[in-house]
Amino acid sequence: MRHLFLSALLLAGLAIQAQDDCLLEAEISTTTALWGSEISWTLSTLDGTTVASGGNYGNDDSDVTTACLEDSCYVLEMLDTFGDGWNGAEITISYPALGLMYGPFTLETGDYAALSVGLGDCSDNDWTGG
């Protein structure tokens, strides 16, 4: 029983340490208007590792997802299952500790767009798709 208690205590300590290791927490805010169930998004590292994603929204919905992001560039992919754009939905990425916000971004038309975002020099990549 004592070993079980010590193991639980160690795991709790590791979880707290993992939360404290996040130097740059970002808030990814999504708001929808019409057809919120059609939209989704993914934020990935440049090598394709997904760090955050969202979707399955309602109409006139809002959501905030937090992610621990490094000082780097990320790819924001915006998708629309019907193919007519996000119909008034928007997404922003902010770093509250730094007072920075990127966006709002939207998908005006089409079913896909990608944008490079982040704290590094991310100007090399612009919109694709649409």
Side-chain angles (χ1 to χ4, degrees):
M1 186 69 160
R2 182 177 173 180
H3 292 289
L4 182 61
F5 176 74
L6 291 175
S7 295
L9 196 58
L10 177 63
L11 287 175
L14 289 174
I16 291 170
Q17 181 182 357
Q19 290 172 350
D20 291 340
D21 288 345
C22 185
L23 299 177
L24 293 172
E25 186 171 82
E27 293 180 352
I28 304 153
S29 301
T30 310
T31 58
T32 67
L34 295 174
W35 309 109
S37 62
E38 296 177 2
I39 74 165
S40 63
W41 59 270
T42 303
L43 188 67
S44 305
T45 62
L46 295 180
D47 68 4
T49 303
T50 300
V51 294
S53 61
N56 196 27
Y57 302 109
N59 293 340
D60 297 315
D61 203 357
S62 62
D63 181 64
V64 177
T65 301
T66 58
C68 188
L69 304 181
E70 296 179 16
D71 185 5
S72 184
C73 297
Y74 297 86
V75 178
L76 174 63
E77 294 178 284
M78 297 178 287
L79 302 138
D80 182 83
T81 58
F82 191 77
D84 62 347
W86 275 16
N87 298 298
E90 296 179 330
I91 188 169
T92 60
I93 300 173
S94 62
Y95 296 86
L98 302 176
L100 296 174
M101 184 178 87
Y102 298 98
F105 305 111
T106 192
L107 179 59
E108 292 290 335
T109 61
D111 62 355
Y112 176 81
L115 176 67
S116 184
V117 296
L119 294 177
D121 181 11
C122 302
S123 60
D124 291 340
N125 289 340
D126 258 341
W127 288 102
T128 61

